[in-house]
Amino acid sequence: MVVLSMITKDTVERIGDKFFRLVLRSTLQVPYKSIILIDDSKNNATRQIIREFSRNYSKEVIISSTEELRGIKSRGFARQMAIDLFLLNFSDDWLFFLDDDCIMKYGWWNEASRYIGQQDVGIIWGINWDLMPERKVLLSKLNIDYETDLINQFLIRGGTHDTLLRREALKELNERNIRIPPELHILEDAYLFHSIRCLGYRFAVLKTGVIHLNINAIDANVSKIHELLYLYTLYKYGIKAITIEHTLWKNTMSILRSLIVVPLNTYAAIIGNRTGAFTRVVARVRSRIRLKIIALKFLYKLGNPPKDICEKILTERRKNGDI
């Protein structure tokens, strides 16, 4: 019925072997017999844990790496590899992508089962609840509902934290030669989500969701070059990035509140002696504001708003004579 797939890189070094084992054990609520692992780690630690888990729970495993094909290293290429391996080697109805830092909450599969038999549902996604409190506290100070924001983020840029994809949808994308562009090291999940949505499939959101470690969520060391490349990718593929930075830019009071009120209250609200939490949150908010300012200037210079991603995907395929 289901094949599990994970895209990994230096998982053990990044999150630790204990947390990764908890992630794997949480998947046992899902009735799958096979695992597709695309691993670009610099050592075999992640693969060894997967092999050990597969032996202990009688799972078939296919392990590959993007280095084995044309030397390309990107998450977009890796995810497309997993899809290709799924379609080529298995007949199961669903491909299940799970991030290596997401622990499935109990009851995830029971909730997902309600949608499995609905043929018009092509995507089943569980909310990625943060393990760390910073985002929730920040949003509360901006009068933004945490759950609503997480769902809105998914509607805009997709997500493969814990996502079931229907085989028929993936097969149709393959037949239309709609493939994840290798350049999408980030936003490959957005491209995949919107590609399936553009085919006319519905999506389902699971409130149970996962606990997401998401250690990069509080990383404020984002360069202007990285921000511009991210923005250009959004523009090129027609992905509308209506996220926290839009709210911050919406009016002056939002910006002042984020810079002054939020950090003080956040610092008071964060539990324990987490060294540097205050400065990280302040830097993160300022980085988001800076991103929005750069975005506005950049888009105004381009002159034309980005196309809808459905139009973008279909237009590109028509140009290539694929559809």
Side-chain angles (χ1 to χ4, degrees):
M1 178 180 285
V2 178
V3 173
L4 171 66
S5 182
M6 304 184 83
I7 310 298
T8 58
K9 184 177 180 180
D10 302 327
T11 298
V12 174
E13 290 77 9
R14 198 176 77 256
I15 64 174
D17 64 327
K18 290 183 179 179
F19 193 93
F20 187 44
R21 291 177 194 276
L22 287 175
V23 171
L24 293 173
R25 282 200 292 271
S26 74
T27 68
L28 294 175
Q29 61 182 291
V30 180
Y32 69 94
K33 296 180 179 179
S34 304
I35 301 173
I36 297 172
L37 176 69
I38 309 297
D39 179 50
D40 283 332
S41 301
K42 60 178 177 287
N43 58 46
N44 290 323
T46 301
R47 298 183 181 207
Q48 287 174 355
I49 291 176
I50 287 288
R51 288 193 179 100
E52 177 189 326
F53 176 82
S54 300
R55 286 195 303 270
N56 291 342
Y57 295 98
S58 301
K59 308 294 185 184
E60 176 188 4
V61 61
I62 294 178
I63 299 178
S64 190
S65 166
T66 58
E67 293 180 324
E68 296 175 11
L69 289 175
R70 292 184 287 172
I72 298 176
K73 284 186 177 182
S74 89
R75 210 156 57 200
F77 190 77
R79 206 167 297 282
Q80 186 63 57
M81 276 187 65
I83 292 170
D84 292 343
L85 287 170
F86 170 71
L87 293 175
L88 182 63
N89 295 283
F90 302 98
S91 59
D92 298 78
D93 295 327
W94 294 89
L95 176 62
F96 177 38
F97 279 118
L98 180 68
D99 280 1
D100 59 6
D101 58 354
C102 289
I103 296 177
M104 300 174 66
K105 295 177 68 177
Y106 180 77
W108 191 100
W109 177 251
N110 287 339
E111 187 177 357
S113 298
R114 303 172 193 170
Y115 304 101
I116 292 294
Q118 299 181 24
Q119 297 300 313
D120 61 338
V121 173
I123 305 168
I124 302 174
W125 171 80
I127 295 176
N128 51 303
W129 304 106
D130 293 306
L131 178 62
M132 307 301 184
E134 283 87 351
R135 173 159 46 182
K136 185 175 182 180
V137 175
L138 172 60
L139 290 172
S140 70
K141 299 306 175 183
L142 292 171
N143 294 321
I144 301 173
D145 181 71
Y146 176 53
E147 179 181 309
T148 301
D149 183 74
L150 291 176
I151 294 174
N152 285 340
Q153 294 282 340
F154 171 72
L155 298 181
I156 294 162
R157 61 147 299 161
T160 47
H161 313 91
D162 55 323
T163 308
L164 284 162
L165 303 175
R166 184 178 291 279
R167 179 186 191 84
E168 288 306 311
L170 296 175
K171 184 178 177 181
E172 185 173 348
L173 290 179
N174 188 56
E175 291 171 349
R176 289 170 173 255
N177 198 27
I178 298 175
R179 302 173 63 81
I180 301 172
E183 69 176 305
L184 292 182
H185 178 62
I186 55 175
L187 297 174
E188 91 290 348
D189 47 1
Y191 192 89
L192 183 56
F193 166 66
H194 290 294
S195 293
I196 293 175
R197 180 182 63 81
C198 294
L199 294 178
Y201 285 95
R202 291 194 304 115
F203 60 87
V205 174
L206 309 181
K207 296 293 183 72
T208 305
V210 295
I211 301 298
H212 190 195
L213 179 58
N214 197 16
I215 55 178
N216 293 322
I218 56 176
D219 180 12
N221 298 316
V222 180
S223 69
K224 290 183 179 180
I225 296 297
H226 183 275
E227 289 173 351
L228 284 171
L229 287 174
Y230 177 78
L231 170 64
Y232 174 73
T233 305
L234 292 173
Y235 184 89
K236 180 177 180 180
Y237 290 97
I239 302 167
K240 295 176 175 59
I242 307 173
T243 51
I244 294 175
E245 57 267 20
H246 284 242
T247 303
L248 294 175
W249 186 253
K250 206 169 184 179
N251 55 63
T252 306
M253 288 306 296
S254 291
I255 297 176
L256 291 175
R257 187 176 185 183
S258 66
L259 286 174
I260 300 171
V261 179
V262 174
L264 295 176
N265 284 279
T266 301
Y267 184 70
I270 293 175
I271 300 172
N273 51 1
R274 296 183 56 203
T275 305
F278 173 70
T279 54
R280 286 199 300 270
V281 171
V282 174
R284 183 65 172 172
V285 172
R286 286 174 176 161
S287 176
R288 288 291 190 180
I289 293 172
R290 189 173 73 251
L291 171 61
K292 184 55 186 172
I293 292 171
I294 294 172
L296 284 175
K297 290 180 179 178
F298 187 70
L299 290 177
Y300 279 131
K301 285 182 179 179
L302 287 176
N304 297 316
K307 296 179 179 180
D308 176 76
I309 193 168
C310 289
E311 181 184 352
K312 180 73 175 177
I313 292 170
L314 295 178
T315 299
E316 290 299 318
R317 294 308 162 192
R318 288 195 188 100
K319 285 181 182 177
N320 296 334
D322 296 325
I323 57 174

